[in-house]
């Protein structure tokens, strides 16, 4: 068998020449969307030509902060993207000890939401209040900004008449705004024009499941149908369900399941939006903390509807959403498809450095993974780079999945550690393609990423 020779000739370890070293800088793409911190409860909104995601921010509790082995959140970040692949962290927008009504060091900044009205951005968040004279439990407050990224100014007091968590705001086509929240049941009420006060008494929604926890309401409208979506514990962990109505305040009728339970993660919390003619479900799991489900990570997958408006159940993927540039680091461990008993995904560092991400291991011949929606553009690309290691050496081919054409043959030498190899491309592609990365030999090889140059 002919083997493609690498462009560099001195690639054998331990004196392998590295093109570059992986740094702490992250390219935010695939699932989970954010890989340099824990994020949960994503509220996603379209403002202008970008998607903004307002999640809660899980941190690890210890004896000096929060309650050990429980949820611990002290602030909120906002992230945005124009292409659903590259996410920018705009930093902290609200923090617990700078909100007048929040109990200091309570570490209870749970699931938020944000919405725009008349050029102002209203950020809604729950937390533990300092004043408990009206009863114990969470209250919901508002912070206001002129831009979706802030600076946000918290109001002095929480919203009167509201007790609970998981605020969600919906503005109907007639301009009426509504606030939804949960506290054992799911509630809704009209908001005044100022977006900080209730304009009607709260309504407790009936006809929803009575067994198990319900929380995290998120309401949206499509083709005249109002969808009330919510996490619900039918068994031991939360799954995403929905009910429908012809009115923002119901009555609602249970319609089905959006996403089944995630094994190993007690909670799920979500939002749904339409962006560039695609419907997207944002949610969370515990990808970066598989053994502790109070440290979660936000995800996204495409969502679709039947002709009658019912939601087609979403199956979680590693690939997620968005289009990846061929010249970016393509994280093939976030695959679209996988085949072969020896094809597995694991953490690059199995100790405490989970934020380093994952690798894919192909142990046998014909083990492969595919990765869809890679944009080669119209430019001529000459080489492929691969971050790889193999204790035995192997050969890997990278193909265009649709026509099975081989783009590159990669002769992986026997190595003792990670290195970056560069090989020529045999066929140049343009436009958006799906890729297939396949192990040719019955030898094990581990791959972090590939990139075209």
């Amino acid at each position: 068998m002919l083997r493609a020779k690498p462009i560099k000739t001195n690639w054998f370890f331990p004196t392998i020449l590295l093109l570059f070293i992986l740094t702490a800088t992250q390219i935010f793409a695939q699932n989970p969307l954010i890989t340099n911190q824990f994020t949960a409860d994503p509220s996603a909104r379209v403002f202008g030509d970008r998607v903004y995601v307002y999640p809660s921010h899980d941190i690890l509790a210890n004896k000096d902060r929060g309650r050990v082995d429980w949820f611990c959140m002290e602030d909120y970040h906002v992230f945005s993207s124009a292409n659903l692949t590259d996410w920018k962290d705009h930093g902290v927008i609200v923090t617990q000890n700078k909100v007048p009504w929040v109990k200091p060091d309570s570490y209870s900044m749970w699931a938020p939401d944000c919405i725009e009205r008349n050029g102002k951005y209203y950020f809604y968040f729950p937390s533990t209040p300092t004043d408990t004279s009206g009863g114990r439990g969470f209250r919901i407050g508002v912070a206001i900004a002129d831009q979706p990224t802030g600076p946000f100014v918290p109001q002095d007091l929480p919203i009167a008449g509201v007790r609970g968590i998981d605020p969600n705001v919906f503005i109907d086509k007639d301009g009426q705004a509504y606030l939804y929240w949960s506290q054992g049941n799911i509630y809704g009420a009209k908001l005044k024009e100022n977006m900080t006060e209730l304009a009607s008494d709260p309504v407790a929604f009936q006809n929803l499941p009575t067994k198990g926890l319900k929380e995290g309401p998120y309401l949206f409208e499509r083709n005249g149908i109002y969808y009330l979506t919510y996490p619900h514990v039918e068994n031991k962990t939360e799954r995403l369900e929905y009910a429908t109505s012809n009115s923002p305040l119901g009555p609602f009728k249970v319609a089905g399941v959006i996403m089944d339970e995630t094994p190993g993660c007690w909670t799920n919390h979500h939002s749904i939006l339409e962006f560039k003619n695609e419907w997207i479900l944002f949610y969370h799991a515990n990808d970066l903390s598989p053994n502790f489900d109070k440290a979660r990570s936000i995800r996204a997958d495409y969502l679709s509807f039947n002709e009658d408006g019912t939601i087609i159940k979403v199956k979680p993927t590693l690939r997620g959403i968005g289009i990846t540039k061929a010249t970016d680091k393509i994280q093939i461990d976030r695959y679209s498809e996988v085949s072969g008993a020896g094809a597995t995904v694991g953490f690059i560092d199995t100790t405490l450095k989970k934020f380093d991400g994952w690798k894919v291991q192909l142990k046998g011949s014909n083990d492969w993974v595919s990765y869809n929606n890679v944009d080669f553009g119209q430019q001529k690309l000459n080489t492929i780079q691969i971050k790889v290691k193999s204790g035995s050496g192997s050969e890997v081919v990278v193909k265009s999945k649709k026509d099975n054409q081989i783009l590159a043959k990669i002769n992986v030498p026997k190595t003792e550690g990670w290195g970056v190899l560069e090989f020529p491309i045999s066929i140049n592609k343009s436009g958006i393609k799906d890729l297939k990365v396949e192990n040719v030999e019955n030898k094990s090889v581990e791959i972090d990423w590939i990139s075209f140059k």
Side-chain angles (χ1 to χ4, degrees):
M1 179 184 295
L2 293 176
R3 299 182 182 273
K5 293 184 178 180
I7 289 177
K8 302 293 184 181
T9 58
N10 56 339
W11 282 106
F12 293 91
F13 288 89
T15 58
I16 185 169
L17 175 63
L18 300 183
L19 288 177
F20 47 86
I21 303 296
L22 182 66
T23 69
T25 301
Q26 300 289 326
I27 293 176
F28 298 154
Q30 303 94 47
N31 280 331
L33 299 181
I34 309 302
T35 55
N36 66 349
Q37 61 187 275
F38 296 119
T39 52
D41 313 315
S43 176
R45 297 290 184 181
V46 179
F47 298 137
D49 59 356
R50 297 180 71 86
V51 171
Y52 292 81
V53 178
Y54 299 83
S56 53
H57 181 199
D58 288 339
I59 59 176
L60 300 180
N62 57 40
K63 63 182 181 64
D64 297 316
R65 65 179 188 188
R67 171 183 161 189
V68 176
D69 295 330
W70 191 242
F71 300 107
C72 184
M73 299 104 139
E74 64 181 342
D75 58 30
Y76 299 100
H77 289 235
V78 58
F79 302 85
S80 76
S81 176
N83 60 8
L84 303 176
T85 297
D86 303 303
W87 293 90
K88 181 178 180 179
D89 182 358
H90 298 276
V92 174
I93 56 172
V94 174
T95 188
Q96 61 180 6
N97 291 348
K98 293 185 178 181
V99 179
W101 61 268
V102 170
K103 181 181 178 181
D105 299 325
S106 51
Y107 296 97
S108 55
M109 307 294 273
W110 289 13
D113 193 12
C114 188
I115 203 161
E116 183 273 336
R117 182 167 196 143
N118 298 328
K120 297 285 187 180
Y121 295 85
Y122 297 86
F123 181 75
Y124 298 80
F125 59 96
S127 194
T128 303
T130 299
D131 181 5
T132 59
S133 59
R136 298 180 63 185
F138 279 69
R139 302 294 299 273
I140 292 174
V142 189
I144 304 173
D146 294 324
Q147 302 292 333
T149 56
F152 283 89
V153 179
Q155 301 298 286
D156 289 339
L157 297 171
I159 301 173
V162 177
R163 291 189 176 275
I165 59 174
D166 303 337
N168 164 240
V169 179
F170 170 75
I171 300 178
D172 207 356
K173 287 177 283 190
D174 63 1
Q176 179 61 58
Y178 297 83
L179 175 69
Y180 303 88
W181 67 95
S182 59
Q183 187 187 35
N185 208 332
I186 294 177
Y187 298 83
K190 291 182 179 180
L191 281 171
K192 291 183 179 180
E193 184 76 17
N194 63 17
M195 302 296 284
T196 62
E197 297 177 276
L198 296 187
S200 69
D201 292 333
V203 175
F205 297 135
Q206 307 300 316
N207 306 320
L208 299 180
T210 57
K211 173 190 174 183
L213 176 68
K214 299 185 300 295
E215 57 179 358
Y218 189 89
L219 189 129
F220 70 97
E221 182 270 338
R222 176 182 179 271
N223 296 339
I225 300 173
Y226 295 87
Y227 295 79
L228 176 66
T229 65
Y230 51 90
H232 171 224
V233 179
E234 173 68 20
N235 295 306
K236 294 183 179 180
T237 59
E238 289 183 339
R239 68 185 188 187
L240 301 181
E241 302 178 4
Y242 73 106
T244 58
S245 177
N246 58 9
S247 167
L249 292 178
F252 289 94
K253 181 180 179 181
V254 172
V257 176
I258 301 171
M259 176 178 283
D260 288 329
E261 295 89 342
T262 300
C265 190
W266 174 45
T267 65
N268 201 348
H269 192 112
H270 68 296
S271 57
I272 295 171
L273 60 70
E274 185 180 20
F275 182 65
K276 296 183 178 179
N277 299 316
E278 296 275 10
W279 285 89
I280 303 169
L281 170 69
F282 291 80
Y283 61 104
H284 73 232
N286 57 326
D287 298 82
L288 289 166
S289 178
N291 298 317
F292 182 61
D293 64 357
K294 311 304 183 292
R296 299 155 296 177
S297 298
I298 62 173
R299 291 169 140 250
D301 276 296
Y302 292 109
L303 177 144
S304 56
F305 299 82
N306 292 308
E307 289 186 6
D308 63 358
T310 54
I311 295 174
I312 298 173
K313 188 185 293 186
V314 177
K315 294 183 178 180
T317 73
L318 296 177
R319 175 61 182 91
I321 58 176
I323 296 172
T324 302
K325 293 180 182 178
T327 52
D328 286 345
K329 293 176 183 176
I330 303 168
Q331 306 286 349
I332 62 168
D333 47 72
R334 308 291 89 191
Y335 56 73
S336 304
E337 292 182 73
V338 62
S339 179
T344 59
V345 168
F347 284 103
I348 292 174
D349 190 318
T350 58
T351 57
L352 298 178
K353 297 175 64 179
K354 298 293 193 297
F355 290 154
D356 284 353
W358 298 267
K359 63 186 178 183
V360 63
Q361 186 170 16
L362 306 175
K363 297 180 181 178
S365 60
N366 300 319
D367 286 349
W368 59 265
V369 293
S370 68
Y371 185 103
N372 64 17
N373 292 332
V374 176
D375 188 1
F376 284 80
Q378 300 301 319
Q379 76 271 40
K380 180 176 173 56
L381 300 172
N382 300 310
T383 63
I384 184 172
Q385 296 174 355
I386 181 170
K387 187 179 183 195
V388 65
K389 72 174 181 177
S390 174
S392 58
S394 190
E395 183 176 18
V396 173
V397 294
V398 179
K399 300 179 179 180
S400 171
K401 189 169 184 287
K402 184 176 180 180
D403 55 24
N404 212 38
Q405 287 185 316
I406 294 178
L407 306 185
K409 294 182 179 181
I410 300 168
N411 182 17
V412 181
K414 181 179 179 180
T415 66
E416 296 179 0
W418 290 101
V420 179
L421 305 179
E422 186 175 58
F423 285 79
I425 299 172
S426 55
I427 297 176
N428 205 287
K429 291 289 185 180
S430 62
I432 297 174
K433 305 296 179 185
D434 296 345
L435 297 182
K436 181 178 179 182
V437 180
E438 184 175 351
N439 192 14
V440 175
E441 300 184 66
N442 198 30
K443 299 177 181 179
S444 180
V445 60
E446 297 176 57
I447 304 170
D448 185 2
W449 50 259
I450 63 174
S451 181
F452 294 84
K453 304 297 177 183

